[in-house]
Amino acid sequence: MARDNADRLQFSLLFLAILALALGLALHAAGRPDAAIFAWQAGVLPVLAALLLEIFSSVRKGEVGLDIVAALSMTAALLFGETLAAAVVAVMYSGGTVLERFAEGRARQEMSALLSRVPRTATRHANGGLADVPLDLIEPGDLLLIHQGGIVPVDGDVESPQAILDKSALTGESMPVRVDRGQEAMSGSTNAGPPFDLRVRHRAADSTYAGIVRLVEAAQASKAPMARLADRYSLGFLAVTLVLSTLAWWFTGDPIRAVAVLVVATPCPLILAVPVALVAGLSRAAHFGVLVKGAKPLEALAGVSTLVLDKTGTLTDGRPQVVSIEPQNGMSEDEILYFAGALEQASRHPMARAIVAAARRQTLMLPVPEHVFERAGEGVSGTIDGRSVCVGGVAFVREQIGLTSAPSPILNIGTVVVALAIDGRMAGYITMADALRSGTAELIANLRRVGIGRILLATGDRQAVAQAVTAGLGLDAVCSDLSPDQKVRLILSERESGTVMMVGDGVNDAPALAAADIGVAMGARGAAASAEAADVVLLVDHLDRLLPGIEIAQSARHIAMESVIAGIGMSVAGMIAAALGYLSPVQGAVLQEIIDVAVILNTLRALRIDPRIGEPMRTAVPADVVRA
């Protein structure tokens, strides 16, 4: 509401300034110069009053910007009778403000699009039929129908043979992806194929897209002032302006020369347009699944020199995966998955979920287990199709079937073995691991290409596991067995030599994320503490989003700096020409308007930043996981 009122005020000031300028020109042409002067003054004074109030508010906050030059130029022009020049500056300033607000709205379009896509209802299967219900009434375990073209309202598992999902609004991926039965469908995706059924995993408020929306709303509602690169040069530019105008008046005795210098020095849209490059960068980054919480973190992201990575959930997928199956006693791999997956439906352990998902990917129809007994963290026993089944850790399964001696499966570093027994006999082993994200080595190389000179791993895992996971990645250091406070000390130490970015996803990473110059949280559905502490949130669980985020930040900052240098440089050249008498106040105002329009159009190039981006990283290589 406050922004709408401010927009209406700016439009009203612009309309009044243009009307007064046009009316004054018409009166002057009709031979009524006194009435023309009165009309121009009537257009200038409201704009000047609004500008003085804004300057007063900024000074109270300790901010001194180039707005002062605009106020000086209008005031001086009025005092020395250059009312036409004052009217042109008023139109220029109010028009620049309106143009900036339009450009900022255009720059925020990707973030606004995320908010506009929030679904309000879902179609739920109930009593043999379908009913549209509010999202607040959806509970885990409900079965939803996702219509073609509809937005997936909550996180869940695909119950149909497959689904075709368009994730472009969240990830920037241009092509829809296939999600098979048992795999997760992320909320916020669009159904690009035929209707499919979705088994709800989380309530709407706890789903990925709800987390994204909360983060976007928080970023847009932030009351922190936007970074204004132009203001860094404001005091120096203001001093140059005053010196040139004073010298021009002193040596020529003509105050109009001083007025001309002040008018040319009014970089109105430059003051307003430079942040547009940064806002456009924020919006463009959101298009690629990178939510940056403001212009200041975007600037810092452009200058990162050291990257510190967490392991679990960052370099690795953070979820166990089935990597191999070793049948025993004549069983097949599908039979092992069938019995293990059916029984593990009764467990909520991450490994149990992974085994169930692997079985469903094989399109196995899993029966409901009976007589289930679970020993937390060790294993599950029960009945499947009338047969006694036990699945879990090797020691647990051997204990359940009374097996005292048997060949032990080979256990590589970073893997864990789940055993399966059927009717008192060992049936096979399932090897599981937390998978290293494929393409990590290429990503590390690309991160170095964009200017990150030092990349480290910081993990609480054992040294042997950390070394095995990172072998061949070419990291500068692998720091293992770290507690959260030791991670913080590592970050503070690295900050002494440059800007440090920390990437993590867990509650234990929150202190390190807060300590870094730039904290990056993996995935909007990650720990709330890490997302809150981070400056950047990767909206999807893909580490490769770092690359376009950094490239966009660097490009946006380059465009912003380019606008500062070009705008102020051309203004100084015009000021010198005005001081030497080559430009009148009116000519100077027109020249500055041309300069400012060119500058603001240049900043809008940030909306077309197109980083080089590959396919999202997938999981493939074994890493570390332990069944607790």
Side-chain angles (χ1 to χ4, degrees):
M1 181 63 70
R3 181 178 177 85
D4 290 340
N5 291 335
D7 287 343
R8 282 193 288 270
L9 174 61
Q10 293 301 331
F11 274 109
S12 299
L13 290 174
L14 175 59
F15 176 77
L16 179 61
I18 293 175
L19 180 63
L21 177 61
L23 179 61
L25 290 173
L27 290 170
H28 192 275
R32 300 182 59 186
D34 292 340
I37 291 174
F38 178 79
W40 288 330
Q41 289 174 338
V44 172
L45 291 175
V47 175
L48 180 59
L51 177 57
L52 291 174
L53 287 175
E54 184 177 341
I55 292 172
F56 177 73
S57 176
S58 297
V59 170
R60 289 185 61 184
K61 299 175 184 176
E63 302 171 4
V64 179
L66 296 176
D67 309 67
I68 295 176
V69 179
L72 284 175
S73 66
M74 279 188 275
T75 302
L78 289 176
L79 289 176
F80 291 104
E82 292 289 335
T83 49
L84 175 56
V88 173
V89 172
V91 171
M92 180 175 62
Y93 184 83
S94 55
T97 303
V98 170
L99 180 59
E100 181 268 342
R101 288 180 177 273
F102 167 78
E104 183 177 335
R106 173 75 174 83
R108 290 184 183 273
Q109 64 178 357
E110 298 294 345
M111 299 177 76
S112 299
L114 283 172
L115 297 179
S116 66
R117 298 176 71 255
V118 178
R120 305 298 179 189
T121 61
T123 302
R124 183 172 63 185
H125 289 271
N127 301 320
L130 296 171
D132 289 336
V133 296
L135 285 189
D136 292 344
L137 300 182
I138 300 299
E139 297 289 342
D142 286 349
L143 187 64
L144 306 181
L145 175 66
I146 310 300
H147 299 282
Q148 185 170 11
I151 307 297
V152 178
V154 295
D155 294 336
D157 298 322
V158 174
E159 286 284 316
S160 301
Q162 70 176 30
I164 306 299
L165 298 181
D166 178 0
K167 300 181 181 180
S168 59
L170 301 176
T171 69
E173 298 174 66
S174 59
M175 299 298 294
V177 298
R178 189 183 76 180
V179 180
D180 295 325
R181 184 195 301 274
Q183 292 183 318
E184 182 180 6
M186 184 172 64
S187 55
S189 305
T190 302
N191 181 13
F196 69 92
D197 289 334
L198 178 82
R199 182 69 65 182
V200 176
R201 178 179 290 186
H202 303 297
R203 291 175 55 86
D206 301 325
S207 290
T208 301
Y209 195 57
I212 292 173
V213 169
R214 285 193 295 269
L215 291 169
V216 172
E217 288 175 338
Q220 290 193 334
S222 174
K223 297 187 182 302
M226 188 183 301
R228 291 169 62 174
L229 291 179
D231 283 352
R232 297 180 184 176
Y233 306 96
S234 60
L235 290 177
F237 186 80
L238 179 59
V240 170
T241 300
L242 294 176
V243 168
L244 275 177
S245 60
T246 301
L247 290 176
W249 189 356
W250 179 271
F251 284 106
T252 65
D254 184 4
I256 303 304
R257 294 265 185 113
V259 174
V261 171
L262 290 173
V263 168
V264 175
T266 307
C268 305
L270 174 61
I271 304 169
L272 305 166
V274 171
V276 172
L278 300 180
V279 174
L282 298 178
S283 184
R284 193 65 178 150
H287 174 76
F288 287 93
V290 183
L291 177 60
V292 185
K293 298 180 180 178
K296 184 177 179 181
L298 187 77
E299 289 185 60
L301 187 61
V304 170
S305 59
T306 301
L307 172 62
V308 179
L309 295 168
D310 178 44
K311 182 184 75 66
T312 304
T314 304
L315 276 183
T316 67
D317 184 61
R319 291 171 291 187
Q321 303 285 332
V322 174
V323 296
S324 67
I325 299 174
E326 181 183 338
Q328 300 282 318
N329 297 319
M331 299 290 290
S332 69
E333 292 188 4
D334 280 352
E335 287 176 315
I336 292 173
L337 272 182
Y338 173 80
F339 284 102
L343 184 56
E344 291 281 36
Q345 291 178 105
S347 175
R348 304 305 296 171
H349 193 280
M351 286 189 183
R353 292 182 179 182
I355 292 173
V356 172
R360 287 176 173 166
R361 282 195 295 272
Q362 295 296 106
T363 66
L364 299 176
M365 300 299 295
L366 304 179
V368 177
E370 299 176 335
H371 313 299
V372 175
F373 165 77
E374 179 174 11
R375 185 183 297 172
E378 295 187 29
V380 186
S381 62
T383 303
I384 302 294
D385 294 341
R387 305 181 69 177
S388 176
V389 179
C390 180
V391 61
V394 175
F396 171 80
V397 173
R398 287 179 176 175
E399 175 191 329
Q400 294 297 304
I401 64 176
L403 187 63
T404 57
S405 62
S408 297
I410 298 175
L411 186 63
N412 297 320
I413 292 177
T415 64
V416 66
V417 172
V418 175
L420 172 70
I422 301 175
D423 294 334
R425 299 180 61 194
M426 193 64 71
Y429 301 100
I430 302 173
T431 301
M432 307 190 71
D434 182 10
L436 183 70
R437 300 172 190 266
S438 64
T440 302
E442 180 182 359
L443 173 64
I444 296 297
N446 286 332
L447 288 171
R448 294 190 187 280
R449 174 179 59 79
V450 297
I452 298 181
R454 182 168 168 79
I455 302 178
L456 304 83
L457 178 73
T459 179
D461 271 333
R462 305 183 307 276
Q463 178 71 16
V465 172
Q467 292 288 355
V469 169
T470 59
L473 293 183
L475 300 182
D476 295 289
V478 176
C479 306
S480 58
D481 296 305
L482 298 181
S483 62
D485 61 315
Q486 289 174 325
K487 285 186 180 182
V488 171
R489 285 198 290 270
L490 173 64
I491 295 293
L492 296 177
S493 174
E494 292 294 331
R495 286 185 65 181
E496 295 178 0
S497 57
T499 302
V500 176
M501 178 167 63
M502 166 70 187
V503 185
D505 76 324
V507 173
N508 64 324
D509 295 321
L513 293 174
D517 295 291
I518 293 291
V520 180
M522 285 289 296
R525 62 184 169 185
S530 61
E532 180 68 24
D535 304 289
V536 178
V537 177
L538 304 185
L539 299 183
V540 290
D541 197 21
H542 298 312
L543 183 61
D544 62 350
R545 297 303 167 188
L546 278 178
L547 188 59
I550 293 172
E551 289 184 300
I552 289 169
Q554 291 175 341
S555 297
R557 188 178 188 279
H558 173 77
I559 290 171
M561 289 298 299
E562 186 179 72
S563 297
V564 170
I565 295 171
I568 292 182
M570 289 188 289
S571 294
V572 170
M575 289 159 56
I576 293 173
L580 295 175
Y582 293 111
L583 292 174
S584 68
V586 173
Q587 291 171 331
V590 173
L591 173 64
Q592 188 59 56
E593 178 72 2
I594 295 172
I595 293 173
D596 291 338
V597 169
V599 167
I600 200 169
L601 290 177
N602 179 66
T603 62
L604 287 174
R605 290 192 299 114
L607 290 170
R608 300 191 301 273
I609 297 173
D610 189 18
R612 287 187 286 179
I613 180 170
E615 289 298 315
M617 295 164 59
R618 305 302 182 200
T619 56
V621 184
D624 174 57
V625 68
V626 177
R627 183 158 186 159

